[in-house]
Amino acid sequence: MKICVVGTGYVGLVAGTCFAESGNDVVCVDNVAAKVETLRQGKVPIYEPGLEELIRRNVTEGRLTFTTDLAEPVRNSVACFIAVGTPELPDGSADLGAVLAVARGIAESMDGYRVVVTKSTVPVGTHRKIREEMQPIARHPFDVVSNPEFMKEGAAIEDFMKPDRVVIGAASPEAFKIMRELYEPFVRTGAPILEMDNASAEMTKYAANALLATRISFMNEIANLCERVGADVDQVRRGVGHDRRIGHHFLFPGVGYGGSCFPKDVQAVIHTALENGMRFPLLNAVEEVNDAQKRRLVEKVVAEFGERLEGRRFAIWGLAFKPRTDDMREAPSITVINGLLERGAAVAVHDPEALGVAKSVFGDKVTYHRVNYDALERADALLIVTEWNEFRRPDFARMKQLLRHSVIFDGRNLYDPEVMREHGFTYFPIGRTPVRRPG
Ligand SMILES: NC(=O)c1ccc[n+]([C@@H]2O[C@H](COP(=O)([O-])OP(=O)(O)OC[C@H]3O[C@@H](n4cnc5c(N)ncnc54)[C@H](O)[C@@H]3O)[C@@H](O)[C@H]2O)c1
């Protein structure tokens, strides 16, 4: 099938590449010329495991191309996917400017029936807005399909190739048929293609993200309570996770959620509720808890070293909002680092993939280290913010030598407190009893 995907960010690039990998002819469109040029040269502007190799193969085999021109791919495609950003506006609502601009562009260039598919996360009712935007311009019939994306950055290819489910919201048999044909190669192992109305498909994406964010904030509150009552949140997590009604996923406490999706999607649900005459106090609390949690690590630093941190130096391991990505949008590391800088501390940072992105966030306010141990030199303490695998089994003896004080604030509970005691560290995990170096 010939398709085009508009927007070559984390979602569009992965979706376009995976559709090409299953044999379709895919044109990826982006309005940032430099991005398209980079992609044409075989380079990938973002870090996503396995993506570069997959792009190269499909480009070489002629199934995947990149352009800034929307008109021609629209004329040649049966389905046009919209995968542009829907950032948060100051009032918490989702900015649909780019989505509607692309919809108008598709309407102008269509020369026959088209399926217009929203992959971007959009508020309930956007399918109607897209239709209203396109109707006066389009000279041919079209269907609007709502096809939310559930992939996780860091495992996006795997998630797209083997989804738990595919959600398709539409109103016409023709549109469902085309979408089924596109997705059937990805659901051979039995995952369902769930066909529903557009509004329910749009709501499904927000409900999923809001529920996952709720689990995280819930566990963060339980962790904070564990610290007060002397319980161990890791034991509690296992205790509740084995309940099949609950399950193990998204029960890890930490430094709060970030990324380009959860914060803005929670806000968008709150906003949609308000627009429809309803308050959503549960999600207000989820957000409030998350904002507080992002400050927890620095509160622990202050409790240990005092409010004034001039002359102190701290090492940060992990900047990306989660491992296996270079994405720092809304990353908790930003709150943590700013909290330290505001109190006068010097900050030395390391991340396996996000140093380039971090430079555009912090400029020369921090020092950047390609090797994790280099960031520790003369630091008063280490703060772990992202749970990259390579941080799980470090050389503790070397760390002790490099750090000025053997203190670790672990925002991801990577280490066994008993092991930290044996190594002679002062260790502050989340929701577990801290370990103090003797003397
Ligand atoms: N990142 C994720 O993990 C994820 C997962 C599921 C859903 N989503 C949703 O998917 C959407 C895209 O997210 P993303 O992370 O890929 O965003 P992104 O910012 O990484 O990518 C968006 C891309 O669209 C391009 N673009 C913007 N306006 C355009 C226009 N008018 N014409 C052509 N290209 C244009 C931008 O240049 C950019 O390359 C959002 O709605 C997001 O909520 C994201």
Side-chain angles (χ1 to χ4, degrees):
M1 203 182 291
K2 287 186 193 311
I3 64 168
C4 63
V5 180
V6 190
T8 60
Y10 288 86
V11 168
L13 199 52
V14 169
T17 306
C18 292
F19 280 132
E21 178 70 10
S22 63
N24 301 289
D25 285 325
V26 182
V27 184
C28 285
V29 185
D30 205 287
N31 63 355
V32 177
K35 211 174 221 186
V36 169
E37 196 42 50
T38 306
L39 286 161
R40 279 181 173 160
Q41 287 168 10
K43 294 185 210 132
V44 182
I46 53 169
Y47 174 73
E48 181 60 46
L51 183 58
E52 191 162 316
E53 188 196 332
L54 218 54
I55 290 179
R56 277 219 196 103
R57 181 164 67 235
N58 284 284
V59 167
T60 307
E61 292 171 11
R63 290 186 299 267
L64 183 61
T65 52
F66 301 97
T67 179
T68 51
D69 169 42
L70 179 63
E72 194 181 324
V74 168
R75 281 196 293 275
N76 294 326
S77 301
V78 179
C80 302
F81 284 76
I82 305 178
V84 298
T86 48
E88 186 181 327
L89 286 168
D91 67 356
S93 65
D95 183 352
L96 292 177
V99 169
L100 297 178
V102 174
R104 282 194 301 276
I106 294 170
E108 279 159 13
S109 304
M110 281 164 40
D111 56 1
Y113 170 76
R114 292 292 178 276
V115 176
V116 181
V117 190
T118 38
K119 253 229 163 294
S120 303
T121 302
V122 291
V124 181
T126 302
H127 63 285
R128 272 193 299 275
K129 285 193 181 153
I130 291 177
R131 173 161 291 286
E132 284 160 16
E133 201 80 15
M134 292 181 66
Q135 202 92 62
I137 311 169
R139 291 176 298 276
H140 299 275
F142 63 91
D143 280 310
V144 179
V145 171
S146 309
N147 171 219
E149 180 51 54
F150 299 97
M151 71 190 190
K152 303 179 287 294
E153 285 177 30
I157 308 262
E158 167 92 2
D159 285 350
F160 198 93
M161 293 291 199
K162 294 183 202 147
D164 291 341
R165 79 310 206 179
V166 174
V167 170
I168 297 172
S172 92
E174 176 72 4
F176 279 126
K177 184 169 166 284
I178 289 170
M179 295 302 289
R180 264 198 309 272
E181 219 172 286
L182 266 173
Y183 275 107
E184 256 153 19
F186 303 106
V187 294
R188 291 233 170 84
T189 48
I193 293 180
L194 303 171
E195 297 182 359
M196 56 182 81
D197 62 273
N198 290 81
S200 303
E202 288 168 335
M203 182 58 104
T204 299
K205 173 64 189 175
Y206 280 112
N209 273 2
L211 184 55
L212 292 172
T214 303
R215 277 175 79 111
I216 293 174
S217 277
F218 179 82
M219 277 315 278
N220 282 334
E221 283 288 73
I222 291 289
N224 295 335
L225 191 54
C226 281
E227 284 180 18
R228 297 202 174 216
V229 298
D232 182 335
V233 75
D234 207 52
Q235 316 268 0
V236 176
R237 176 184 66 75
R238 284 188 284 147
V240 297
H242 278 285
D243 186 326
R244 269 177 292 172
R245 294 168 302 178
I246 297 172
H248 292 283
H249 294 293
F250 278 77
L251 291 185
F252 290 86
V255 288
Y257 59 75
S260 69
C261 292
F262 285 5
K264 86 167 166 54
D265 293 351
V266 167
Q267 262 301 324
V269 178
I270 293 170
H271 191 268
T272 299
L274 284 175
E275 262 184 352
N276 289 277
M278 182 186 139
R279 284 176 60 255
F280 209 139
L282 180 60
L283 288 182
N284 285 319
V286 165
E287 248 210 340
E288 189 188 326
V289 169
N290 196 55
D291 286 343
Q293 197 67 18
K294 290 203 275 188
R295 295 192 295 270
R296 281 294 288 149
L297 221 49
V298 173
E299 283 168 10
K300 289 181 188 214
V301 171
V302 166
E304 185 67 9
F305 290 99
E307 180 63 42
R308 305 194 53 174
L309 298 175
E310 290 98 346
R312 300 268 181 205
R313 181 184 174 87
F314 295 96
I316 306 284
W317 281 5
L319 299 167
F321 86 93
K322 65 165 159 172
R324 292 162 65 85
T325 181
D326 60 353
D327 196 344
M328 280 187 66
R329 290 179 283 187
E330 304 277 329
S333 66
I334 298 174
T335 309
V336 172
I337 291 168
N338 283 337
L340 296 172
L341 293 173
E342 278 159 20
R343 290 172 174 80
V347 178
V349 305
H350 163 78
D351 188 283
E353 292 296 336
L355 286 186
V357 178
K359 283 179 187 161
S360 63
V361 179
F362 296 111
D364 57 7
K365 289 196 231 150
V366 303
T367 57
Y368 302 90
H369 301 271
R370 296 205 139 275
V371 177
N372 56 345
Y373 296 105
D374 292 352
L376 303 179
E377 241 175 291
R378 292 178 295 108
D380 289 281
L382 163 66
L383 282 68
I384 298 175
V385 182
T386 315
E387 68 277 32
W388 284 90
N389 264 340
E390 40 269 75
F391 302 158
R392 287 180 193 275
R393 294 283 176 273
D395 181 343
F396 289 120
R398 191 170 166 196
M399 289 167 72
K400 267 197 84 177
Q401 264 176 3
L402 290 165
L403 284 165
R404 201 184 293 169
H405 303 286
S406 309
V407 182
I408 298 178
F409 298 91
D410 183 354
R412 299 294 180 177
N413 287 351
L414 295 190
Y415 309 131
D416 179 345
E418 271 322 300
V419 173
M420 301 316 283
R421 188 191 306 281
E422 282 160 24
H423 281 282
F425 280 97
T426 293
Y427 178 63
F428 297 97
I430 300 277
R432 315 180 78 180
T433 309
V435 165
R436 285 209 171 265
R437 187 177 59 241

